[in-house]
Amino acid sequence: MTRTSRRALLASLALAASVRAESKDEQIQIAQQVRDIFEAKCIDCHGPELPRPKGKFGYVLDLKRVAENPDYIVRGDPQKSELYKMVFTDEMPGEDANVPSLTREEKELVRRWVEIGAPGDLPATSGAHAAAVAPASPRRTDPLWSHTLRWVGKSHPFSTHFPVALMMVAVLAEGFAWWTRREGWLLTVRFLVGIAALSATGSATLGWLNAYFSSYNKTVGTLLWWHRWMGTSSAVWALVCAALVFAGPCGEGSKERQRFRGALLLGAALVAITGFLGSALIYGLDHYAW
């Protein structure tokens, strides 16, 4: 028997021993209590009724499905289970949630649930096996300034449509200017780029507000980091494009116009990548899969 096989066998024996330590009734009771905790603390962001639950994790109340996802649960080992680590460190519920973090007793229940193999069987709604439902957690009341900033930050998704559309149309208009060699297109391009730069700055600001009051697991958190900094870079670069096209005459055929065109194409690419990353936060990186 190889060393890896021995380790796997020992892990299986340890899990089996842990499960046997709890009777079937006790496992059902623990599972019900954990489900009650998830219902009280997690459904605001991961409820099954949400059209776009955070992290595409909208089945938090389906304990069997949660336990079968190795990205969240390693049966029998809470310390290797991402879900337990997030609730233990108060990463979840996040700062944008309207409920407080799990109590020490609630965290211990989640730990014990994972330790005994993350059972998914629940008691009947009535009868001798019905477990007591945990009391609802008190709603957290935020200061007015915090609530206001969170509410304003929620405007970020729709605000991104303006700089995206304007930068792309500016590229199209500049293409017509290059093709026709007509100076009249410069006024249109200046208008589009100027508004795009202002709206990109506002959208990036809203994005930082929205991200501050949001919480994601580690995988989606990395995606958020790239989206945030690509968006910030796009806003800064849009301002650079505006400065280039407004700074001088920028006539057709001049070096200034060529520099601007190169900057505009790069800015449009940054905006496109940022938009893709933003939609991936909601739909996943594979949302354009054929």
Side-chain angles (χ1 to χ4, degrees):
M1 182 181 293
T2 64
R3 180 177 299 179
T4 303
S5 299
R6 286 197 298 271
R7 288 179 178 175
L9 178 59
L10 290 173
S12 299
L13 291 174
L15 175 57
S18 176
V19 172
R20 283 197 301 269
E22 297 284 354
S23 68
K24 183 63 176 178
D25 288 349
E26 289 170 328
Q27 291 180 41
I28 290 175
Q29 185 175 5
I30 290 176
Q32 179 64 61
Q33 290 173 325
V34 168
R35 188 187 186 280
D36 292 337
I37 292 170
F38 290 168
E39 185 174 15
K41 300 294 180 73
C42 305
I43 60 171
D44 281 357
C45 299
H46 305 291
E49 77 287 351
L50 298 177
R52 289 190 290 270
K54 284 189 177 179
K56 302 177 75 173
F57 181 43
Y59 51 91
V60 68
L61 300 183
D62 188 345
L63 296 188
K64 290 184 178 180
R65 187 176 174 187
V66 173
E68 291 170 357
N69 188 339
D71 291 335
Y72 291 108
I73 298 295
V74 177
R75 294 176 189 254
D77 194 341
Q79 302 306 322
K80 292 183 180 179
S81 299
E82 185 67 22
L83 186 145
Y84 172 71
K85 289 191 289 185
M86 285 191 292
V87 300
F88 179 77
T89 59
D90 295 333
E91 183 179 346
M92 300 291 282
E95 293 183 355
D96 57 329
N98 293 319
V99 293
S101 301
L102 274 66
T103 65
R104 182 181 302 178
E105 293 75 14
E106 289 172 333
K107 292 176 182 178
E108 176 59 24
L109 276 170
V110 176
R111 186 198 67 78
R112 184 58 182 156
W113 174 69
V114 177
E115 188 177 57
I116 65 175
D121 292 334
L122 299 173
T125 55
S126 62
H129 294 302
V133 176
S137 300
R139 304 288 287 184
R140 185 170 62 196
T141 57
D142 295 334
L144 179 61
W145 68 267
S146 178
H147 185 80
T148 302
L149 289 178
R150 180 185 291 112
W151 182 82
V152 171
K154 291 179 180 179
S155 303
H156 170 69
F158 81 78
S159 71
T160 60
H161 293 80
F162 296 99
V164 171
L166 289 168
M167 287 294 284
M168 296 306 173
V169 176
V171 171
L172 181 62
E174 187 62 16
F176 281 123
W178 173 80
W179 181 261
T180 62
R181 302 291 175 177
R182 293 178 59 181
E183 293 292 341
W185 281 106
L186 181 59
L187 293 176
T188 301
V189 172
R190 279 177 169 167
F191 173 78
L192 291 170
V193 173
I195 301 300
L198 293 175
S199 60
T201 303
S203 181
T205 303
L206 291 173
W208 277 89
L209 278 177
N210 193 39
Y212 179 80
F213 291 105
S214 300
S215 58
Y216 298 88
N217 61 37
K218 288 185 178 179
T219 301
V220 183
T222 301
L223 194 59
L224 173 64
W225 187 92
W226 281 103
H227 172 66
R228 185 189 311 186
W229 284 106
M230 288 296 292
T232 303
S233 300
S234 299
V236 172
W237 197 251
L239 292 171
V240 171
C241 292
L244 289 174
V245 76
F246 280 100
C250 209
E252 183 61 49
S254 65
K255 291 183 178 179
E256 291 81 2
R257 192 65 170 271
Q258 293 175 7
R259 282 196 294 268
F260 164 71
R261 282 177 180 158
L264 181 62
L265 289 174
L266 178 57
L270 286 173
V271 166
I273 294 171
T274 303
F276 170 79
L277 294 174
S279 58
L281 281 171
I282 300 174
Y283 301 109
L285 281 170
D286 58 346
H287 64 291
Y288 279 123
W290 186 257

